Amino acid sequence: MSSAHRRPLARLLAPFLLFALPAAACAQDAAPRAAATATAPAPAPAKPQVKAKPALWKVADKDTTIWLFGTIHILPPGIAWYDGPVAKALESSDTLVTEVVEPEDPAVAQQIARIALSDPPRNLREQLPAQERAKYQAALTSLHVPVSAFDANDPWYAAVALSTLPLIQAGFGTMNGAEALLVAKARERGMARLGLETAQMQLGLFDSLPQETQIGYLGDVLESFPKVRDEVGAMLEAWKSGKADTLAQLMNEDQDDPQLMKVLLVDRNKAWAKWIEERLKRPGTVFIAVGAGHLAGKNSVQAQLAADRVKTKRVR
């Protein structure tokens, strides 16, 4: 199985993927003794607001402006990032574009429950080597989740839950995530809303991965499980300070799973770049907010745009 120093994207992508969050919510339902839920983590004492300055880019021509803002979908409370150029950019826009529209729709949980079932039916724990099975069961027990909770599910589902539940129990939540505030601001302003993908599309990305890749992903998550809060914390610090290159390095360094990279990152970035290029043909101002991992590194949305000779400018 993979080492703890390999496939950081596979281990750490969940907090940056919207479809990870409904999966975590479903997993939390299997853990009645856990500290919190994905949408309502346990209350914590109020802390002083921490100022953050995440990165912002602009794509523009003579009659169209498209802002590109990288988000983290699940955040701890107390981070103040909506001000300055980001606030001005959103408030000058007529449309907010996110990865999906309303990912918290209750119907998503039902879709996840169907998609996440193993097809053909097989027991997840029985597919794991003895050593990995022991790690897997120990991780679930530490989260107060029954070891049989995901026996009927695909490995990707268990991997996403194990990536995200420690953060939820530490006080991270979607209500603190960047999208939540952006959507609230957009609603206040009566802005149009669009999604680059649907929940079904996002869930299908993981489900389409070969079984071997899914089990490898789960193995990487198990390797990093004791350090997941520290590793995500480092990525959060890079995001807060606008260090896009550092974020890309933390996510993509030593990436050795091209299948996972292609399906979850590269192909989506290419599709989103094409969407931007088409949108530039019509006038208006658009604010696009997607996971920060998509706007950093050699395979970023900006890199895909550059390949088609579309320039992006960093404004913060």
Side-chain angles (χ1 to χ4, degrees), residues 1-250:
M1 200 61 77
S2 55
S3 95
H5 300 291
R6 295 167 61 195
R7 286 200 282 254
L9 175 70
R11 299 197 320 251
L12 300 175
L13 201 52
F16 295 83
L17 293 173
L18 280 173
F19 52 71
L21 305 178
C26 289
Q28 191 68 56
D29 290 341
R33 291 176 292 163
T37 67
T39 55
K47 295 181 180 180
Q49 290 278 303
V50 175
K51 292 288 186 180
K53 295 184 177 180
L56 178 71
W57 293 264
K58 181 171 74 171
V59 183
D61 61 18
K62 61 181 180 181
D63 59 2
T64 309
T65 297
I66 298 177
W67 302 99
L68 297 176
F69 179 65
T71 69
I72 296 181
H73 310 310
I74 176 171
L75 288 170
I79 300 176
W81 56 267
Y82 185 79
D83 60 7
V86 174
K88 291 178 181 178
L90 182 72
E91 291 163 17
S92 70
S93 300
D94 48 64
T95 303
L96 172 63
V97 179
T98 51
E99 293 182 30
V100 298
V101 176
E102 306 299 346
E104 74 277 7
D105 190 319
V108 173
Q110 297 177 358
Q111 295 165 1
I112 293 170
R114 291 193 300 269
I115 294 172
L117 286 175
S118 180
D119 185 16
R122 48 196 163 189
N123 185 287
L124 173 57
R125 282 184 292 161
E126 291 178 359
Q127 298 174 65
L128 303 177
Q131 185 176 4
E132 296 297 327
R133 188 183 310 126
K135 289 181 180 179
Y136 172 72
Q137 294 181 160
L140 289 174
T141 298
S142 74
L143 295 169
H144 306 291
V145 177
V147 296
S148 61
F150 307 114
D151 280 357
N153 295 122
D154 287 321
W156 71 261
Y157 181 79
V160 165
L162 286 174
S163 297
T164 314
L165 280 172
L167 303 178
I168 293 170
Q169 295 185 3
F172 284 64
T174 53
M175 83 292 292
N176 303 318
E179 277 81 5
L181 180 54
L182 291 171
V183 168
K185 295 289 185 182
R187 285 173 176 163
E188 288 175 5
R189 301 180 62 81
M191 294 171 60
R193 292 280 317 282
L194 293 174
L196 294 168
E197 299 170 339
T198 65
Q200 292 90 337
M201 288 170 59
Q202 289 201 336
L203 291 166
L205 293 174
F206 266 155
D207 203 49
S208 69
L209 293 170
Q211 188 75 359
E212 181 181 356
T213 300
Q214 292 189 36
I215 291 176
Y217 172 33
L218 177 56
D220 285 327
V221 168
L222 291 171
E223 288 287 350
S224 68
F225 183 77
K227 306 182 297 293
V228 65
R229 294 184 189 180
D230 291 340
E231 292 179 328
V232 170
M235 297 168 73
L236 177 57
E237 289 303 313
W239 177 80
K240 285 161 52 179
S241 55
K243 296 180 179 177
D245 292 339
T246 300
L247 182 60
Q249 184 179 25
L250 289 168

Side-chain angles (χ1 to χ4, degrees), residues 242-291:
K243 296 180 179 177
D245 292 339
T246 300
L247 182 60
Q249 184 179 25
L250 289 168
M251 293 189 70
N252 303 334
E253 186 179 14
D254 298 329
Q255 176 59 233
D256 68 348
D257 193 335
Q259 173 77 3
L260 199 65
M261 184 75 134
K262 180 178 186 297
V263 171
L264 298 185
L265 198 71
V266 179
D267 287 351
R268 299 170 75 205
N269 289 352
K270 288 180 178 179
W272 297 352
K274 293 298 183 185
W275 189 97
I276 291 169
E277 291 167 20
E278 287 298 312
R279 184 60 187 80
L280 281 169
K281 296 176 182 178
R282 294 182 285 118
T285 304
V286 177
F287 190 100
I288 298 180
V290 296

